[in-house]
């Protein structure tokens, strides 16, 4: 709205830059110097460079600063997303504390185990995908959710994660079908990646299984490529055309 008002006023001499902060109360100065990413958003390169130059005058030359330059929407979302992510983690730890009390477990040792396992899935390695699968996450979240229920904790964050994953896979299927003009039964779709994660041939609970099954039911022709998991998926869906390279799979695909 601010940008629109400036445009309406024909104020070409005024540029808008969005610069959200990531500071914690009580440690704000230390966070600015050592932990705070500098997020700058705007549609003027000159304005972004001006604000960045101000920061560079504040910090020492050898200071390692993480600059993120992006658009307004992303900058505002990264602020909300970070605080919500923090809230989700804190709420989950509190749920673990309640469950630990009922089971006689030590929640502080559990938290230590979570922290020491952080390298298994660091935040900076997270990328959006078609949903989680494999043997461990579906099996353990399902089992853990039953333990949680048996101890009187209803609708935990683990339950919500399971439902969220199911919704995400279904939403992806809906999006694929929406993007294909009718009649979709005459369309060809290429599936790149069949295993539940890269560098493995494991297709157990792979989202690709669910997606392929629904698309085949709708009469859509499918080609697929996966350097490791094609043989395993072929045993379940022999009607899919499995290709030796991704370019072959996407040729003439809708």
């Amino acid at each position: 709205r601010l940008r629109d008002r400036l445009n309406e006023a024909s104020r070409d001499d005024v540029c808008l830059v969005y610069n959200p902060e990531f500071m914690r109360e009580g440690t704000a100065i230390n966070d600015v110097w050592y932990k705070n990413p500098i997020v700058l958003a705007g549609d003027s390169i000159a304005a972004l460079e001006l604000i960045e130059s101000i920061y560079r005058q504040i910090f020492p030359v050898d200071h390692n600063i993480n600059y993120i330059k992006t658009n307004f929407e992303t900058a505002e979302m990264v602020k909300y997303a970070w605080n919500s992510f923090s809230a989700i983690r804190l709420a989950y730890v509190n749920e673990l504390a309640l469950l630990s009390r009922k089971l006689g477990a030590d929640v502080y040792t559990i938290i230590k185990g979570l922290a020491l396992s952080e390298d298994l899935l660091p935040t900076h390695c997270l990328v959006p995908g078609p949903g989680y699968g494999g043997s461990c996450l579906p099996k353990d979240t399902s089992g853990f959710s039953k333990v949680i229920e048996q101890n009187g904790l209803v609708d935990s964050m683990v339950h919500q994660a399971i439902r969220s994953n199911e919704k995400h896979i279904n939403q992806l299927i809906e999006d694929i079908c929406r993007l294909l003009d009718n009649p979709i039964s005459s369309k060809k779709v290429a599936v790149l990646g069949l295993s539940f994660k890269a560098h493995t041939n494991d297709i157990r609970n792979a989202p690709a299984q669910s997606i392929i099954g629904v698309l085949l039911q709708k009469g859509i022709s499918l080609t697929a490529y996966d350097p490791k998991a094609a043989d395993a998926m072929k045993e379940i869906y022999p009607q899919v055309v499995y290709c030796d390279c991704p370019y072959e799979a996407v040729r003439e695909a809708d």
Side-chain angles (χ1 to χ4, degrees):
R1 287 199 300 269
L2 285 170
R3 183 174 51 191
D4 290 342
R5 286 177 64 183
L6 290 170
N7 290 337
E8 290 170 5
S10 299
R11 290 298 303 269
D12 296 333
D13 59 325
V14 178
C15 295
L16 185 64
V17 173
Y18 186 71
N19 178 206
E21 51 81 20
F22 295 82
M23 297 176 290
R24 298 167 297 176
E25 191 167 344
T27 59
I29 294 175
N30 187 67
D31 290 346
V32 168
W33 280 101
Y34 299 109
K35 299 180 185 296
N36 188 22
I38 305 298
V39 178
L40 302 175
D43 44 23
S44 165
I45 295 175
L48 292 176
E49 289 179 346
L50 174 62
I51 303 301
E52 182 180 347
S53 71
I54 293 173
Y55 273 111
R56 293 197 182 281
Q57 292 177 47
I58 296 172
F59 294 107
V61 176
D62 59 347
H63 202 64
N64 185 27
I65 308 169
N66 292 311
Y67 286 99
I68 299 175
K69 297 178 186 176
T70 184
N71 60 19
F72 291 117
E73 294 80 5
T74 305
E76 189 155 7
M77 268 195 71
V78 74
K79 169 66 174 176
Y80 282 125
W82 168 248
N83 280 340
S84 297
F85 191 39
S86 300
I88 288 168
R89 292 192 295 176
L90 290 167
Y92 182 53
V93 164
N94 287 335
E95 286 188 355
L96 291 175
L98 289 173
L99 185 62
S100 297
R101 208 160 62 211
K102 290 175 178 288
L103 296 175
D106 177 13
V107 71
Y108 295 102
T109 302
I110 292 169
I111 293 169
K112 182 179 180 181
L114 294 177
L116 293 175
S117 301
E118 167 72 11
D119 287 344
L120 294 174
L121 186 60
T123 303
H124 69 85
C125 290
L126 293 174
V127 292
Y132 66 74
S135 62
C136 292
L137 295 187
K139 172 177 62 67
D140 288 350
T141 51
S142 176
F144 197 31
S145 69
K146 289 180 173 58
V147 172
I148 293 169
E149 287 174 16
Q150 290 164 1
N151 284 273
L153 302 178
V154 182
D155 200 29
S156 70
M157 299 189 74
V158 175
H159 290 88
Q160 293 172 39
I162 294 170
R163 288 199 301 272
S164 176
N165 195 56
E166 292 170 350
K167 286 181 182 177
H168 183 68
I169 295 171
N170 291 332
Q171 182 63 56
L172 185 58
I173 294 170
E174 288 180 17
D175 289 344
I176 294 169
C177 294
R178 177 176 50 80
L179 290 168
L180 297 171
D181 295 329
N182 285 319
I184 63 173
S185 59
S186 64
K187 297 298 189 290
K188 174 184 174 183
V189 169
V191 183
L192 302 180
L194 301 171
S195 60
F196 83 95
K197 73 172 185 177
H199 312 300
T200 173
N201 63 358
D202 195 343
I203 61 170
R204 288 175 292 177
N205 295 299
Q209 273 207 59
S210 303
I211 295 168
I212 288 172
V214 174
L215 297 184
L216 287 175
Q217 288 174 4
K218 294 181 178 295
I220 296 171
S221 300
L222 295 180
T223 56
Y225 169 75
D226 189 298
K228 291 182 179 288
D231 290 341
M233 193 68 81
K234 191 181 297 183
E235 295 182 8
I236 301 173
Y237 296 119
Q239 61 270 55
V240 175
V241 177
Y242 297 90
C243 303
D244 294 328
C245 78
Y247 299 102
E248 182 186 351
V250 301
R251 188 175 292 121
E252 297 182 352
D254 294 291

